[in-house]
């Protein structure tokens, strides 16, 4: 395919060069690109204008150095300073994490429309702030100015600075010198290929060719047409063979070794194979022609790779970035390296990024001698320059808190006292967690109660259950609704109603949104660590509730096109807690009070009530299932937002966006609703938890909103413990349980070795690594478990675990802003994917796809992903479900998966009624 590529949503593209300039002046293409980019408006309304100019007045391309060459060799670099250009991708901070470790200092991240060329020029050539540049992956095409921003100018004008382009950056390197960017024969996202290379410096020390062990992860729909490469660009790497899954099936069997009717089925997979069971994997169908995976410029230190070296699935990926560091060191260590680098002199970095606070910082010079940073602040090494590098990253553009922080001494402190006790009797003596909740907190149909319910604790999935109701003097309920702006969308500002323990209600308009307010509340709490010594859990009282999906507008998304029927966030401040430890069977009581108050009598009262439960186990009515094994929502009387044909049509739309490079994965959803007047919401939740136990289940009731949430989620969104460890556990890949033990075993293996499901999971794992990488210490983000298959009552799911150590300068809410909404509910890249999904879906997701959990007074939190959930609001039950659409998707199979995820909930509603 040799035509220009652009999304149907765009009306701008750069002209292709037909190769007629081969061997001619590069300045010609420089002139064409720069002329076309000048004053092109950004597609992102809040991000202003991409202002692109020709070379600065008085500077020819070769005069950028500005000063004569040095004769002697400069000193070797002890650490390397990277400018990382973010093309609004969801994997940029994986590169950031890797480079932080490799370079000895974190890169500075600037989004591709965050600075003008004049500002970048000053940083590179006057202040001499950076040693090299890395251009990130990203959605879209280098032919669209809004997708690529400043990157084309950097590639043209920074001829004497080492540059590495990854994926979109690789395509930009080809495009800017005249190569064509075309559709690949097949989109490849989250899948691996073996690589053959020419042994150039970028691939130094890496194996090459088929069965060499050098396998890389690819996320792309577009490629450089190798037949159009100009002479100045040299191909250095290619694919060899078809794509391969990350994990292959045992004993060397490949997905195509299994036929659909059971012939030649290995003993290890014995069992019934029903006709509706899909094959193990998706055999690679790439065109056998090799795909260009790497290029370099013949005279400039510029390189590009089409694959993702930063992916957790890429073998030896760090070596690529280490080699680029060495290329940079060697480049600036040459005899005659430019004197403008200022190796031995102090310099100032002044980065001005839109929406940022004033960021006038000085960066550590190459010399290890101390340099005056401010009147009273000295730096003497790269470890001490880390925080300055962090500060240069615009926290507002990351979606992080930009007002008061945990460390702000001007925040009014609220000193709290925590008292607690552990009972001598195990919870089984009181009839277990369910009986305790029903007898002590479920009076008046459970109004204004919460239960973070670890109803499934196998394999260490969860350990504690927290429950409570309206209690002491600090109790309050916060209800937040986003407001509509003049253009009809719903932005981050909105109205907060706060009801205190006496019933008084106050209303506030939160100009900066709910998360900023919550950050200030959490940052104001203080407590004595001695008060909580000995507690095995991290929740010491605080906020319990939910964040709706539409709060994405406080986390970087542009707008919400639809209004949620339910509040966008609702929380109790829980000052009294009962906690059940499901591992030890112990019961804890905890109370939070103002430090000036006398000790609460709640602990004594609750212990007395508990002791009275020994001979009074709860009686919960049992229901017998009379429904068939599979029932569609319409058969169960639910109204579906999208019909089968409409949903499949939406899947096809998603696949077109993916084909055009706009997204790697789109998590499309659907909503079903049913009137349920007269239903007992708490009774229904108790019924649901028996049939669909889950580790991150929850019950929430906000009586004044006529809102009950019955959640049986198997997925953790994000947890932060008191040691500063962040953990995410995304789910991607789901299959129904089998009817027999053999079939169930086979289905589990089918999921485990499915290339499509592995690709889905890998994309979200890399996305979550990126999100944690924004707020975690460099080098700390890791994946202890990749693609484990976990089994629940009705489905098998593929689950991964990502962890990292939170940076000390980040708050709990900064962590939420960096990662919300959960990537398993959006797709990747996250921001572009949410924009696309907003254009396809026809209503607000509301509570579904958001998060339920707690924020503790000690800044820890634990939140789930709201899936497998029935929301009962104003006598209507709503259920959301969906699935990840990828290049390998089949529309009919995607519809079937969406219906599968509603089955347990739909049947529970029908059976309970």
């Amino acid at each position: 395919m040799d035509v220009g590529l652009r999304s149907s949503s765009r009306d701008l593209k750069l002209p292709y060069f037909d190769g007629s300039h081969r061997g001619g002046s590069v300045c010609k293409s420089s002139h064409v690109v720069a002329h076309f980019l000048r004053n092109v408006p950004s597609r992102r309304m809040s991000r202003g204008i991409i202002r692109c100019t020709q070379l600065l007045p008085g500077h020819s391309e070769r005069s950028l150095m500005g000063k004569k060459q040095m004769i002697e060799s400069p000193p070797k670099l002890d650490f390397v300073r990277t400018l990382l250009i973010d093309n609004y991708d969801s994997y940029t901070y994986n590169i950031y994490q890797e480079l932080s470790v490799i370079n000895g200092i974190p890169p500075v991240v600037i989004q591709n429309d965050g600075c003008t060329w004049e500002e970048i020029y000053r940083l590179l050539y006057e202040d001499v702030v950076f040693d090299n540049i890395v251009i990130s992956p990203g959605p879209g095409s280098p032919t669209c100015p809004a997708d690529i921003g400043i990157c084309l100018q950097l590639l043209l004008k920074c001829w004497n600075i080492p540059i590495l382009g990854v994926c979109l950056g690789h395509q930009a390197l080809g495009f800017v010198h005249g190569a064509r960017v075309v559709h690949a024969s097949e989109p490849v996202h989250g899948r691996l290929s073996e690589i053959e290379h020419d042994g150039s410096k970028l691939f130094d020390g890496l194996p090459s060719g088929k069965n060499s062990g050098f396998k890389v992860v690819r996320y792309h729909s577009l490629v450089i047409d190798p037949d159009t490469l100009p002479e100045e660009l040299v191909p250095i790497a290619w694919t060899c063979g078809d794509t391969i899954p990350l994990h292959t099936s045992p004993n060397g069997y490949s997905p195509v070794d299994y036929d659909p009717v059971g012939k030649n089925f290995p003993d290890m997979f014995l069992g019934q194979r029903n006709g509706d069971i899909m094959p193990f994997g998706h055999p690679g169908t790439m065109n056998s022609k090799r795909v260009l995976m790497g290029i370099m410029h013949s005279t400039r230190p510029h390189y590009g790779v089409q694959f993702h070296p930063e992916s957790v699935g890429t073998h030896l990926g760090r070596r690529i970035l280490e080699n680029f560091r060495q290329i940079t060191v060697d480049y600036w260590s040459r005899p005659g390296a430019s004197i403008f680098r200022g190796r031995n002199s102090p310099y100032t970095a002044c980065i001005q990024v839109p929406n940022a606070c004033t960021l006038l910082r000085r960066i550590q010079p190459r010399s290890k001698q101390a340099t005056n940073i401010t009147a009273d602040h000295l730096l003497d090494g790269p470890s001490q320059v880390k925080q300055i590098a962090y500060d240069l990253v615009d926290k507002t553009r990351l979606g992080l808190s930009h007002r008061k922080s945990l460390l702000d001494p001007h925040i009014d402190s609220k000193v709290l006292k925590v008292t607690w006790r552990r009972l001598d009797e195990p919870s089984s003596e009181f009839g277990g967690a369910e009986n305790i909740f029903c007898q002590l907190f479920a009076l008046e149909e459970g109004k204004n109660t919460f239960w973070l319910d670890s109803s499934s604790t196998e394999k260490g999935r969860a350990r504690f259950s927290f429950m409570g109701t309206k209690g002491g003097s600090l109790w309050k309920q916060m209800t937040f609704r986003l407001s509509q702006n003049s253009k009809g969308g719903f932005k981050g500002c909105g109205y907060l109603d706060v009801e205190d323990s006496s019933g008084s209600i106050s209303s506030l308009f939160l100009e900066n949104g709910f998360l900023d307010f919550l950050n200030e509340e959490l940052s104001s709490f203080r407590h004595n660590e001695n008060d909580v010594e000995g507690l095995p859990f991290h929740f010491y009282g605080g906020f319990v509730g939910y964040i709706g999906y539409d709060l994405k507008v406080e986390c970087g998304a542009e707008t919400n096109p639809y209004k949620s029927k339910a509040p966008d966030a609702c929380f109790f401040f829980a000052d009294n807690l009962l906690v059940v430890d499901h591992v030890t069977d112990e019961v804890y009581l905890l109370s939070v009070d103002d430090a000036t108050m006398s000790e609460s009598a709640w602990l004594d009262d609750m212990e007395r009530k508990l002791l009275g439960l020994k001979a009074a186990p709860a009686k919960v009515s049992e229901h017998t299932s009379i429904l068939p094994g599979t029932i569609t929502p319409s058969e169960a009387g639910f109204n579906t937002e999208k019909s089968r044909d409409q949903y499949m049509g939406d899947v096809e739309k998603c696949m077109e966006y993916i084909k055009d490079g706009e997204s790697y994965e789109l998590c499309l959803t659907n909503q079903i609703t049913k009137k349920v007047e007269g239903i007992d919401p708490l009774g229904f939740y108790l019924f649901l938890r028996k049939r669909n136990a889950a580790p991150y289940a929850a019950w929430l009731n906000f009586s004044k909103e006529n809102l009950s949430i019955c959640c049986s989620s198997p997925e953790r969104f994000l947890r932060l413990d008191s040691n500063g460890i962040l953990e995410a556990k995304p789910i991607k890949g789901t299959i129904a349980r089998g009817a027999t033990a053999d079939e169930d075993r086979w289905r589990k293996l089918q999921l485990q070795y499915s290339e499509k499901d592995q690709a889905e999971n890998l994309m979200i794992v890399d996305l979550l690594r990126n999100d944690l990488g924004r707020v975690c210490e460099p080098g700390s983000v890791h994946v202890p478990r990749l693609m484990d298959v976990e089994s629940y009552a009705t489905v098998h799911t593929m689950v991964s675990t990502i962890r990292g150590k939170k940076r000390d300068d980040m708050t709990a809410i900064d962590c939420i802003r960096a990662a919300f909404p959960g990537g398993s509910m959006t797709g990747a890249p996250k921001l572009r994917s949410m924009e696309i999904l907003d254009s396809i879906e026809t209503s607000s997701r509301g509570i579904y796809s958001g998060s339920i959990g707690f924020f503790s007074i000690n800044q820890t939190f634990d939140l789930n992903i709201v899936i497998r959930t029935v929301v009962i609001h104003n006598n209507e039950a709503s259920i959301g479900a969906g699935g990840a659409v990828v290049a390998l998707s089949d529309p009919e199979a995607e519809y079937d998966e969406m219906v599968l995820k509603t089955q347990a909930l739909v049947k529970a509603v029908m059976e309970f009624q």
Side-chain angles (χ1 to χ4, degrees):
M1 185 172 186
D2 61 358
V3 297
L5 301 176
R6 65 186 177 95
S7 167
S8 59
S9 65
R10 294 179 175 78
D11 56 6
L12 292 173
K13 68 175 181 178
L14 286 174
Y16 283 105
F17 304 112
D18 61 7
S20 60
H21 71 291
R22 185 183 295 266
S25 171
V26 178
C27 292
K28 181 179 179 180
S29 60
S30 171
H31 176 78
V32 173
V33 173
H35 176 76
F36 187 84
L37 286 175
R38 189 180 298 120
N39 295 327
V40 175
S42 168
R43 72 187 294 277
R44 301 170 180 89
M45 292 179 292
S46 66
R47 294 164 191 154
I49 301 297
I50 302 176
R51 292 169 292 179
C52 301
T53 68
Q54 293 286 19
L55 297 175
L56 293 181
H59 291 278
S60 68
E61 186 175 53
R62 290 285 177 178
S63 68
L64 281 174
M65 294 160 57
K67 296 183 180 180
K68 64 181 180 180
Q69 300 285 320
M70 294 178 63
I71 297 176
E72 71 279 2
S73 297
K76 272 210 165 186
L77 311 188
D78 48 11
F79 55 94
V80 172
R81 306 158 302 169
T82 296
L83 173 62
L84 177 54
I85 304 297
D86 177 22
N87 288 304
Y88 291 89
D89 195 52
S90 287
Y91 300 149
T92 301
Y93 278 83
N94 295 332
I95 300 175
Y96 171 91
Q97 284 273 321
E98 290 289 298
L99 291 177
S100 296
V101 174
I102 292 167
N103 290 348
I105 180 174
V108 170
V109 183
I110 297 178
Q111 287 164 321
N112 65 17
D113 54 0
C115 286
T116 64
W117 165 245
E118 291 88 347
E119 292 166 328
I120 293 285
Y121 170 84
R122 186 177 72 250
L123 294 168
L124 293 171
Y125 292 103
E126 294 179 2
D127 297 331
V128 196
V129 172
F130 301 110
D131 301 312
N132 64 23
I133 301 169
V134 175
I135 298 176
S136 85
S141 166
T143 68
C144 177
D147 290 340
I148 201 64
I150 196 71
C151 299
L152 299 185
Q153 285 193 304
L154 294 174
L155 288 164
L156 281 171
K157 298 176 180 180
C158 299
W159 62 272
N160 50 5
I161 293 179
I163 299 178
L164 174 64
V166 179
C167 199
L168 182 65
H170 158 87
Q171 295 166 11
L173 176 58
F175 172 71
V176 82
H177 291 291
R180 294 185 178 185
V181 178
V182 298
H183 282 109
S185 59
E186 178 190 18
V188 180
H189 298 116
R191 297 158 69 189
L192 281 72
S193 290
E194 294 179 301
I195 295 297
E196 176 180 14
H197 61 80
D198 69 348
S200 63
K201 287 185 177 181
L202 193 64
F203 294 97
D204 184 47
L206 290 167
S208 177
K210 197 167 181 64
N211 300 321
S212 69
F214 184 28
K215 296 182 287 188
V216 302
V217 175
R218 299 164 58 189
Y219 295 108
H220 66 97
S221 301
L222 311 178
V223 293
I224 293 173
D225 182 354
D227 295 333
T228 66
L229 281 180
E231 290 181 356
E232 58 264 33
L233 294 181
V234 180
I236 59 175
W238 305 80
T239 59
C240 53
D242 291 333
T243 59
I244 52 178
L246 182 66
H247 299 308
T248 55
S249 48
N251 296 345
Y253 287 103
S254 68
V256 295
D257 288 327
Y258 308 97
D259 63 53
V261 295
K263 295 179 181 179
N264 302 319
F265 194 52
D267 291 341
M268 59 187 299
F269 298 137
L270 283 176
Q272 294 293 324
R273 301 187 64 194
N274 294 340
D276 62 341
I277 299 177
M278 295 170 59
F280 260 83
H282 189 290
T285 55
M286 283 292 296
N287 189 308
S288 59
K289 182 179 178 181
R290 298 188 307 166
V291 180
L292 184 62
M293 285 287 113
I295 57 175
M296 64 177 286
H297 197 280
S298 60
T299 60
R300 301 180 177 190
H302 293 180
Y303 296 81
V305 291
Q306 179 62 79
F307 58 87
H308 284 239
E310 81 287 354
S311 171
V312 71
T314 293
H315 298 231
L316 306 173
R318 177 174 287 188
R319 184 60 183 266
I320 299 283
L321 300 176
E322 289 174 340
N323 286 344
F324 181 61
R325 182 193 192 280
Q326 190 59 48
I327 289 169
T328 302
V329 170
D330 293 344
Y331 186 79
W332 296 122
S333 300
R334 297 168 302 138
S338 304
I339 195 171
F340 74 78
R341 300 307 298 168
R343 292 292 154 200
N344 298 304
S345 59
Y347 53 86
T348 299
C350 176
I351 294 182
Q352 186 173 353
V353 184
N355 300 322
C357 300
T358 301
L359 293 175
L360 298 177
R361 297 287 190 272
R362 294 181 185 266
I363 290 188
Q364 171 69 7
R366 191 56 55 204
S367 169
K368 288 191 175 182
Q369 296 175 351
T371 300
N372 187 41
I373 299 303
T374 63
D376 57 356
H377 185 191
L378 296 179
L379 293 181
D380 59 6
S383 63
Q384 291 173 283
V385 82
K386 280 185 179 181
Q387 189 57 52
I388 292 181
Y390 293 151
D391 291 341
L392 287 168
V393 181
D394 177 8
K395 293 178 74 175
T396 300
R397 298 292 289 276
L398 290 181
L400 306 182
S401 300
H402 57 278
R403 299 176 69 203
K404 296 180 181 178
S405 72
L406 178 64
L407 305 177
D408 191 335
H410 303 295
I411 293 179
D412 295 331
S413 295
K414 302 172 185 176
V415 182
L416 303 176
K417 176 176 60 179
V418 181
T419 55
W420 62 276
R421 68 184 60 166
R422 182 180 61 245
L423 275 61
D424 294 330
E425 296 82 357
S427 69
S428 55
E429 288 290 318
F430 310 127
E434 181 176 316
N435 188 54
I436 292 172
F437 182 81
C438 290
Q439 295 296 312
L440 299 183
F441 302 109
L443 304 177
E444 299 182 9
E445 299 179 335
K447 291 182 178 179
N448 297 317
T449 57
F450 64 88
W451 183 6
L452 304 181
D453 176 18
S454 298
S455 58
S456 173
T457 58
E458 303 97 314
K459 300 181 180 180
R461 291 172 181 146
R463 177 174 174 181
F464 300 100
S465 288
F466 303 93
M467 57 185 73
T469 187
K470 185 173 181 179
S473 60
L474 296 182
W475 180 94
K476 61 183 174 183
Q477 178 180 328
M478 304 188 305
T479 306
F480 177 73
R481 291 177 171 84
L482 290 164
S483 62
Q484 189 171 10
N485 63 19
S486 59
K487 295 182 180 180
F490 294 86
K491 296 292 289 183
C493 56
Y495 297 90
L496 179 73
D497 293 332
V498 181
E499 178 185 359
D500 64 20
S501 58
S502 66
S504 299
I505 299 176
S506 58
S507 296
L508 304 168
F509 181 75
L510 303 181
E511 183 176 352
N512 293 296
F514 178 75
L515 292 179
D516 261 18
F517 174 84
L518 187 59
N519 187 62
E520 291 187 19
E521 286 283 295
L522 291 170
S523 298
S524 70
F525 296 138
R526 303 289 183 270
H527 70 282
N528 190 328
E529 287 296 330
N530 293 331
D531 290 351
V532 297
E533 186 175 352
L535 283 175
F537 47 85
H538 306 289
F539 184 26
Y540 305 154
F543 297 103
V544 178
Y546 72 84
I547 300 170
Y549 177 76
D550 289 349
L551 254 65
K552 62 186 172 72
V553 294
E554 297 190 28
C555 304
E558 288 296 333
T559 188
N560 288 311
Y562 308 107
K563 175 65 175 170
S564 171
K565 295 179 181 179
D568 294 293
C570 235
F571 281 86
F572 299 120
F573 184 86
D575 53 358
N576 295 325
L577 291 175
L578 187 149
V579 186
V580 177
D581 185 337
H582 294 288
V583 171
T584 65
D585 204 30
E586 292 174 321
V587 178
Y588 294 81
L589 303 176
L590 183 146
S591 183
V592 182
D593 299 285
D594 190 296
T596 61
M597 304 289 290
S598 58
E599 185 169 327
S600 170
W602 182 85
L603 297 178
D604 293 332
D605 293 342
M606 186 55 60
E607 183 174 5
R608 186 166 49 251
K609 291 178 181 179
L610 271 170
L611 294 175
L613 293 183
K614 286 186 175 181
K619 300 293 183 181
V620 180
S621 59
E622 297 290 339
H623 294 252
T624 302
S625 176
I626 58 173
L627 297 175
T630 302
I631 183 170
T632 66
S634 57
E635 290 172 339
F638 280 82
N639 297 314
T640 60
E641 183 176 57
K642 297 285 184 72
S643 68
R644 182 178 185 275
D645 289 343
Q646 289 173 323
Y647 191 83
M648 290 172 60
D650 287 346
V651 171
E652 291 174 348
K653 290 179 185 178
C654 290
M655 294 177 72
E656 283 298 312
Y657 278 110
I658 291 169
K659 179 182 177 183
D660 285 340
E662 296 298 311
S663 178
Y664 317 138
E665 177 174 6
L666 289 164
C667 298
L668 182 67
T669 71
N670 198 13
Q671 298 269 348
I672 62 174
T673 59
K674 179 182 174 66
K675 286 293 183 182
V676 288
E677 293 187 21
I679 195 172
D680 171 16
L682 178 58
F684 170 73
Y685 175 69
L686 298 175
F687 179 72
L688 175 65
R689 76 186 293 272
K690 286 184 179 295
R691 280 150 182 75
N692 202 41
Y696 310 111
W699 156 265
L700 293 172
N701 176 272
F702 302 96
S703 60
K704 288 195 173 181
E705 302 298 329
N706 196 16
L707 173 63
S708 297
I709 303 172
C710 307
C711 176
S712 58
S713 174
E715 182 170 1
R716 167 174 281 152
F717 165 46
L718 199 59
R719 177 182 69 177
L720 175 65
D721 67 21
S722 57
N723 297 314
I725 302 301
L726 279 165
E727 179 184 88
K729 291 180 72 69
I731 289 177
K732 266 290 162 269
T734 302
I735 195 170
R737 299 290 300 263
T740 67
D742 282 342
E743 182 187 343
D744 191 61
R745 183 185 177 202
W746 186 86
R747 283 180 175 267
K748 184 175 181 179
L749 290 166
Q750 176 190 357
L751 175 63
Q752 185 174 358
Y753 299 116
S754 162
E755 185 177 9
K756 173 185 177 293
D757 290 301
Q758 288 182 25
E760 286 183 20
N761 198 279
L762 180 60
M763 280 187 264
I764 300 306
V765 169
D766 279 341
L767 187 152
L768 264 297
R769 290 174 60 236
N770 171 87
D771 291 349
L772 268 62
R774 293 182 172 198
V775 292
C776 285
E777 290 290 344
S780 70
V781 178
H782 62 289
V783 183
R785 295 184 179 275
L786 182 62
M787 302 183 190
D788 281 354
V789 176
E790 296 184 356
S791 301
Y792 295 88
T794 60
V795 295
H796 299 295
T797 62
M798 189 179 284
V799 186
S800 294
T801 303
I802 304 100
R803 294 188 185 126
K805 179 69 168 67
K806 183 183 74 69
R807 279 169 32 194
D808 290 340
D809 62 323
M810 292 293 174
T811 70
I813 299 302
D814 286 334
C815 298
I816 298 302
R817 286 187 184 274
F820 186 84
S824 62
M825 302 308 296
T826 63
K830 184 184 287 187
L831 291 179
R832 183 69 62 87
S833 295
M834 287 191 294
E835 291 176 6
I836 293 170
L837 291 167
D838 280 346
S839 72
I840 294 175
E841 296 177 355
T842 55
S843 68
S844 168
R845 296 187 186 183
I847 298 170
Y848 169 64
S849 296
S851 293
I852 294 171
F854 70 77
F855 291 94
S856 176
I857 62 170
N858 65 339
Q859 288 257 334
T860 65
F861 60 81
D862 198 352
L863 299 171
N864 74 2
I865 296 284
V866 181
I867 56 175
R868 318 291 199 272
T869 298
V870 179
V871 176
I872 302 175
H873 183 225
N874 291 333
N875 300 316
E876 181 180 73
S878 63
I879 299 170
V885 180
V886 296
L888 296 178
S889 288
D890 172 73
E892 186 172 358
E894 291 296 338
Y895 176 79
D896 292 341
E897 180 180 340
M898 183 272 295
V899 172
L900 168 65
K901 291 173 179 176
T902 69
Q903 285 297 287
L905 304 173
V906 166
K907 291 169 71 174
V909 171
M910 296 302 295
E911 291 172 5
F912 183 76
Q913 286 187 314

